[in-house]
Each structure stands twice: as structure tokens, then as C-alpha cells.
């Protein structure tokens, strides 16, 4: 991976880590469906304007692929994380999002974009143990609602993992901006009915509207476009490397700005999930720093 691509992924990680904080702020006030629709709608508007200014063609002939990506990479995870934000701290959601690497590795193998090895399977096992520690030993009391909310986060991460190899293939057939705009427009159609149903219960404040604007314009619209541009130049698993750094930013932002508590379970479970992510992707920071090579998988 080139240095500029890595730097861009770090910046995306900081943005996406902050998104969990904004979700936690806005979801209890606006409601998950309305928040998801506002986020998707603003992202779609931003990308449509860019499409118009840059004169890109709409890729509607690939509507089937766009529909799959819209459901897996936007509509479903946005809604699931917004609902989980009613009950879980932002740091929880950010840490559970790391399991996207595990699901992405499995789906990449299924799509013949990668191969499974004993090391990767071990990483998947360790990752799910880490998720268990986060939920069981974190600062939030363990009950049925906590478990369901954590499961919603894991399902959202699974959607991201399943979507990544599909998005990699899509970049070979369409321009990144066209993909980003197409999937957000289609995702808006998917979440609008739920938002219309929940609209009478929604409340709006200056803070929640500002949080939704950042979520839609920056962390969704512009960030998705930037991520798709990077995906064209790296492997699907490497494209998910921001997942390593998102929990660091997510936990930090939640603790600094929302006063979320930390606990041994957060650190222990988060460490296991990061180790698991490194195992399944083959990420080894020592390789570049000290010239250490990986053992044969």
C-alpha cells in the first residue's frame, strides 16, 4: 500500500470513528429510521451535486449490483448502527464494527478474491471471543437489550464485510463517484418508508441536525467516494484496514466528548478483536519497521 493511500485510510478512520459518536448523539432524539434517512439523503444530495459538476454518467445499467451494495453497505448498516445507538455507547459500536474484517475475509474467500488459511480461521475465532468479552465485561449492564444491540452491530459489520468484495468488483466496471452516488440514491429509497413511519415521533435540535449533517455530507457522501477511489488500488481486505483504527478513534471520541466509561472488558475484548483482524488480514507492522517476515500461513 502506498503512503498516500495509507494516510487517506487513517483520515477515513478518524472520520468513521467519530460517526459512532454522532450516531449516539442523534439516534435517541431523532429515532433510528429518521436518522438513517437524513444521513443517506444528505449523502445522496452531496454526491448528486458532485456528479452534476463533474459530469459523470449514471451507471443504471448496473442497477442489480448497485442495489446489492446499497442494501449491504448503506441501508442495512446505517439503520442497524442507528438502532444500536439507542442502547450502546459509541465505543462499543466502534469496537464491534471491527468484526467487518472477519466477515470480509470469509466473503472474499467465497468470491475467490482471497483464500482461507488456518491462521485466518484462528483469527475469526479469536475475534468472536473478543466480541463476547466486550459485551460481557464492558461498563454497560448485560441484559437482553444489550445483547440484541450488540448483535445488531455485528450484523451491520457483516454487511460491510459482505459488501467489500462486491464493491471491489464494481470499481472495475464503474467510476467510484458513480458507484457512491448510485448506491446512496438507491439506499434512500430503502430507508424512506421506515423514516415516514417514525417521523411523527422524531425530535430535532441544533446539535442533532449538525451531527446528521456531518454524518451525511462528510462521513457518508465524501468519505464513501474517497474509500471507493482507494479500493481501486488495493485488495478488498486491505481496503478494510481502517477497521483497525476506527475503534481507537471511536472509543477516544466517545470518552472525550460523551464521557463514556472505560473498563477492562473494553480493553481486553478490543485487543483480541484487533489481534484477530491482524491475523485474518496478515497485517504485520514489524514487517516494514524491522524487516520481519511473516511465517508461512
Amino acid at each position: 500500500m502506498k503512503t498516500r493511500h495509507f494516510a487517506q485510510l487513517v483520515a477515513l478512520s478518524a472520520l468513521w470513528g467519530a460517526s459512532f459518536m454522532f450516531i449516539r448523539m442523534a439516534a435517541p432524539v431523532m429515532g433510528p429510521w429518521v436518522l438513517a434517512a437524513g444521513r443517506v439523503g444528505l449523502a445522496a444530495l452531496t454526491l448528486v451535486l458532485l456528479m452534476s459538476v463533474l459530469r459523470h454518467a449514471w451507471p443504471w445499467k448496473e442497477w442489480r449490483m448497485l442495489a446489492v451494495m446499497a442494501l449491504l453497505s448503506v441501508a442495512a448498516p446505517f439503520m442497524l448502527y442507528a438502532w444500536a445507538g439507542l442502547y450502546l455507547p459509541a465505543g462499543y459500536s466502534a469496537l464491534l464494527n471491527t468484526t467487518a474484517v472477519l466477515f470480509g475475509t470469509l466473503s472474499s474467500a467465497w468470491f475467490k478474491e482471497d483464500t482461507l488459511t488456518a491462521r485466518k480461521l484462528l483469527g475469526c475465532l479469536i475475534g468472536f471471543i473478543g466480541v463476547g468479552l466486550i459485551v460481557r465485561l464492558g461498563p454497560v449492564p448485560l441484559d437482553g437489550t444489550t445483547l440484541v444491540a450488540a448483535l445488531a452491530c455485528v450484523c451491520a459489520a457483516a454487511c460491510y464485510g459482505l459488501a467489500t468484495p462486491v464493491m471491489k468488483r464494481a470499481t472495475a466496471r464503474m467510476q467510484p463517484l458513480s458507484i457512491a452516488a448510485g448506491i446512496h440514491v438507491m439506499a434512500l429509497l430503502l430507508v424512506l418508508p421506515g423514516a415516514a413511519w417514525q417521523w411523527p415521533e422524531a425530535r430535532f435540535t441544533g446539535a442533532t441536525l449538525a451531527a446528521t449533517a456531518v454524518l451525511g455530507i462528510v462521513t457518508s457522501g465524501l468519505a464513501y467516494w474517497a474509500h471507493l477511489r482507494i479500493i481501486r488500488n488495493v485488495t478488498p481486505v486491505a481496503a478494510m484496514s481502517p477497521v483497525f483504527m476506527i475503534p481507537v478513534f471511536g472509543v477516544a471520541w466517545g470518552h472525550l466528548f460523551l464521557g463514556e466509561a472505560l473498563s477492562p472488558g473494553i480493553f481486553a475484548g478490543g485487543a483480541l478483536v484487533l489481534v484477530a483482524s491482524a491475523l485474518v488480514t496478515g497485517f504485520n507492522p514489524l514487517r516494514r519497521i524491522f524487516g520481519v517476515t511473516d511465517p508461512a500461513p
Side-chain angles (χ1 to χ4, degrees):
M1 187 184 299
K2 294 183 178 178
T3 301
R4 64 186 179 90
H5 293 149
F6 180 75
Q8 290 167 358
L9 289 173
V10 172
L12 287 175
S13 301
L15 288 174
W16 284 334
S19 70
F20 294 101
M21 177 184 68
F22 293 127
I23 290 170
R24 180 64 171 162
M25 291 170 55
V29 180
M30 298 174 63
W33 279 108
V34 175
L35 173 59
R39 181 181 183 182
V40 177
L42 287 171
L45 177 61
T46 301
L47 294 165
V48 167
L49 290 175
L50 285 170
M51 288 279 288
S52 177
V53 170
L54 299 178
R55 300 183 182 278
H56 280 234
W58 287 91
W60 295 128
K61 63 180 180 180
E62 303 286 353
W63 68 270
R64 291 180 180 84
M65 180 176 284
L66 290 173
V68 171
M69 291 187 292
L71 175 63
L72 292 178
S73 69
V74 178
F78 282 15
M79 179 54 208
L80 289 167
Y81 278 127
W83 182 82
L86 298 176
Y87 308 103
L88 292 182
Y92 263 54
S93 298
L95 283 165
L96 293 170
N97 179 68
T98 312
T99 57
V101 175
L102 313 181
F103 292 108
T105 298
L106 296 174
S107 63
S108 293
W110 178 266
F111 282 97
K112 309 299 183 184
E113 296 282 351
D114 203 349
T115 56
L116 282 178
T117 64
R119 182 189 66 196
K120 293 174 183 177
L121 291 173
L122 176 62
C124 290
L125 176 61
I126 293 174
F128 289 114
I129 293 173
V131 169
L133 284 177
I134 292 169
V135 176
R136 180 69 181 85
L137 301 177
V140 176
L142 179 62
D143 55 25
T145 302
T146 302
L147 287 174
V148 174
L151 180 61
C153 289
V154 173
C155 288
C159 289
Y160 283 138
L162 291 170
T164 300
V166 180
M167 295 175 76
K168 172 66 175 179
R169 291 187 176 187
T171 58
R173 301 162 65 172
M174 296 172 271
Q175 291 295 317
L177 179 58
S178 300
I179 298 171
I183 62 177
H184 279 85
V185 169
M186 297 190 79
L188 182 60
L189 299 178
L190 295 175
V191 299
L192 272 179
W197 168 73
Q198 198 178 63
W199 184 265
E201 302 173 7
R203 294 179 291 117
F204 303 94
T205 66
T208 59
L209 291 175
T212 305
V214 175
L215 283 169
I217 297 170
V218 182
T219 71
S220 298
L222 297 178
Y224 262 72
W225 178 28
H227 193 226
L228 283 163
R229 288 168 63 91
I230 298 171
I231 285 178
R232 300 184 79 179
N233 300 290
V234 299
T235 66
V237 174
M240 290 187 293
S241 60
V243 174
F244 298 139
M245 296 166 279
I246 286 174
V248 177
F249 289 107
V251 171
W253 300 151
H255 180 65
L256 290 174
F257 296 105
L258 301 181
E260 294 181 351
L262 302 177
S263 74
I266 289 286
F267 292 109
L272 283 179
V273 170
L274 291 175
V275 168
S277 301
L279 284 172
V280 297
T281 59
F283 175 74
N284 182 0
L286 298 178
R287 183 168 47 210
R288 283 193 175 184
I289 299 174
F290 300 110
V292 176
T293 58
D294 292 320

